[in-house]
């Protein structure tokens, strides 16, 4: 059986391979994995379109440096890696509401999407505060 | 090859592993928070085992440098608690939210837009935090083996034994 078209792998194997990828990345480029700084840079890039002077004067955007960098491309790549894996394993499915959510709160997608949006604000504020 | 190209390729491969490991699912992430399904913990700790051995081997050989973040108790504890509330509501962390969108879970898109807003809000209040929460209990760039005064390999071996014990328990209990 072709491992690429296999629907899923053991989480132990997939996780160990991800660990190996991190080691190779650090060896090749010195880059450790991360994602949340990319959200700050993207927020800055978007705000820059409307209020460029303001973004340039804000401490946090100055400190973080609003630009497309290694991590930005890494996060962008995750989208495609997941898409490719899901397509190859015939595991891609447009899903508006997760099954566990639906079992608990019903199929109303507006309720789920609003919660995800508000949760996203809280999550990222906490992540940035914690330094992650 | 440019650094940006390395970032893109590394991200694609990482996203591939995340998808095959089935960790890009709300049900798996909230399932772990509800102590029902530890798939994401299996993935994370397997990754930690391989990377801590690999990173410290390369460090001992003088081939790489560590990138240690400062421990700041006020920021880490408060930020961690806030992150946890948000994570349980979204059901995806930032990288897995992006990956979830890739496999068709488009509720993640709303979470990702929220995360952009959260980052913008943080940038607004950063000047206030800089002089307060972020200065509370700052311990600097500490490591576990540094605090314990042990060789790093002792800590690594103890952690591997603990993680493998946890894996065996997960499998025994079908979690």
């Amino acid at each position: 059986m072709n491992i690429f078209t296999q629907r899923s792998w053991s989480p132990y194997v997939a996780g160990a391979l991800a660990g190996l990828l991190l080691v190779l990345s650090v060896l090749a480029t010195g880059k450790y994995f991360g994602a949340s700084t990319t959200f700050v840079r993207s927020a800055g890039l978007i705000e820059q379109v409307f209020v460029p002077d303001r973004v340039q004067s804000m401490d946090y955007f100055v400190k973080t440096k609003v630009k497309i960098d290694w991590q930005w491309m890494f996060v962008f790549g995750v989208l495609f890696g997941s898409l490719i894996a899901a397509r190859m394993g015939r595991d891609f499915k447009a899903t508006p509401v997760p099954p566990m959510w639906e079992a608990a709160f019903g199929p109303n997608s507006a309720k789920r999407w609003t919660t995800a949006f508000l949760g996203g604000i809280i999550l990222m504020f906490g992540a940035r505060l914690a330094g992650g | 090859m440019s650094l940006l190209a390395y970032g893109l390729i590394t991200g694609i491969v990482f996203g591939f592993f995340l998808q095959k490991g089935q960790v890009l699912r709300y049900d798996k992430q909230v399932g772990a928070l509800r102590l029902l399904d530890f798939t994401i913990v299996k993935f994370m700790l397997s990754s930690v085992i391989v990377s801590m051995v690999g990173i410290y081997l390369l460090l001992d050989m003088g081939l790489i440098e560590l990138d240690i973040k400062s421990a700041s108790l006020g920021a880490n504890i408060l930020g961690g608690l806030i992150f946890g509330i948000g994570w349980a509501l979204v059901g995806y962390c930032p990288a897995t939210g992006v990956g979830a969108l890739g496999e068709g879970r488009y509720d993640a898109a709303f979470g990702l837009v929220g995360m952009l807003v959260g980052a913008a809000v943080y940038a607004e209040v950063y000047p206030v935090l800089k002089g307060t929460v972020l200065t509370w209990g700052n311990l600097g760039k500490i490591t576990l083996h540094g605090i314990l005064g042990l060789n790093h390999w002792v800590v690594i071996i103890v952690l591997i034994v603990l993680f493998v014990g946890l894996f065996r328990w997960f499998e025994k209990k079908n979690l």
Side-chain angles (χ1 to χ4, degrees):
Chain A
M1 193 177 186
N2 186 333
I3 53 161
F4 292 100
T5 55
Q6 206 172 313
R7 200 182 190 93
S8 68
W9 299 349
S10 150
Y12 297 117
V13 173
L17 287 169
L20 188 62
L21 181 69
L22 171 84
V23 175
L24 293 175
S25 171
V26 174
L27 183 62
T29 63
K31 295 291 180 188
Y32 288 83
F33 296 177
S36 59
T37 313
T38 292
F39 287 78
V40 177
R41 298 203 172 106
S42 301
L45 287 169
I46 295 166
E47 285 186 47
Q48 225 166 33
V49 175
F50 304 99
V51 281
D53 297 346
R54 190 152 185 280
V55 170
Q56 274 163 33
S57 71
M58 283 171 68
D59 277 7
Y60 199 61
F61 285 135
V62 172
K63 179 175 119 89
T64 315
K65 298 186 188 74
V66 176
K67 59 169 186 187
I68 307 274
D69 66 340
W70 179 92
Q71 196 198 81
W72 203 99
M73 296 303 286
F74 171 77
V75 174
F76 192 61
V78 167
L79 180 72
F80 291 100
S82 163
L83 179 67
I84 295 164
R87 287 286 185 197
M88 289 180 89
R90 296 170 191 270
D91 200 23
F92 183 93
K93 191 169 166 240
T95 317
V97 178
M100 186 185 276
W101 170 282
E102 190 170 341
F105 307 110
N108 183 337
S109 46
K111 206 199 277 184
R112 164 62 192 147
W113 296 346
T114 308
T115 308
F117 173 73
L118 296 175
I121 298 175
I122 299 168
L123 174 153
M124 190 51 69
F125 189 91
R128 293 325 295 174
L129 179 57
Chain B
M1 196 164 68
S2 81
L3 210 50
L4 293 182
Y6 266 108
L8 183 65
I9 291 166
T10 310
I12 291 172
V13 179
F14 186 57
F16 196 96
F17 293 154
L18 289 171
Q19 203 281 333
K20 289 293 179 201
Q22 297 194 312
V23 295
L24 301 172
R25 302 171 177 208
Y26 174 98
D27 289 30
K28 296 288 185 189
Q29 303 208 17
V30 176
L33 297 177
R34 296 176 66 194
L35 312 179
L36 298 170
D37 180 332
F38 286 92
T39 303
I40 67 164
V41 180
K42 295 173 191 175
F43 184 100
M44 286 191 283
L45 295 185
S46 302
S47 182
V48 170
I49 289 175
V50 173
S51 51
M52 69 183 171
V53 170
I55 292 292
Y56 273 94
L57 269 177
L58 294 177
L59 185 71
D60 285 352
M61 290 158 75
L63 294 173
I64 59 159
E65 284 172 18
L66 294 183
D67 183 14
I68 301 170
K69 293 195 173 186
S70 288
S72 167
L73 292 181
N76 294 153
I77 294 170
L78 203 63
L81 291 170
I82 295 171
F83 173 87
I85 294 170
W87 181 30
L89 292 171
V90 187
Y92 307 107
C93 65
T96 53
V98 173
L101 189 59
E103 62 169 8
R105 302 175 194 280
Y106 60 93
D107 58 324
F110 296 87
L112 295 174
V113 175
M115 290 177 205
L116 284 173
V117 175
V121 172
Y122 186 81
E124 294 296 328
V125 297
Y126 176 71
V128 180
L129 300 170
K130 200 166 64 167
T132 54
V133 191
L134 294 172
T135 64
W136 300 343
N138 199 333
L139 304 177
K141 294 177 187 283
I142 52 169
T143 58
L144 202 51
H145 58 266
I147 304 171
L148 298 170
L150 294 167
N151 179 282
H152 47 272
W153 289 106
V154 176
V155 176
I156 290 170
I157 289 165
V158 169
L159 287 177
I160 292 175
V161 170
L162 283 174
F163 293 169
V164 171
L166 204 56
F167 293 161
R168 292 184 61 165
W169 184 75
F170 290 155
E171 296 313 315
K172 209 173 102 187
K173 296 281 178 188
N174 259 319
L175 289 166

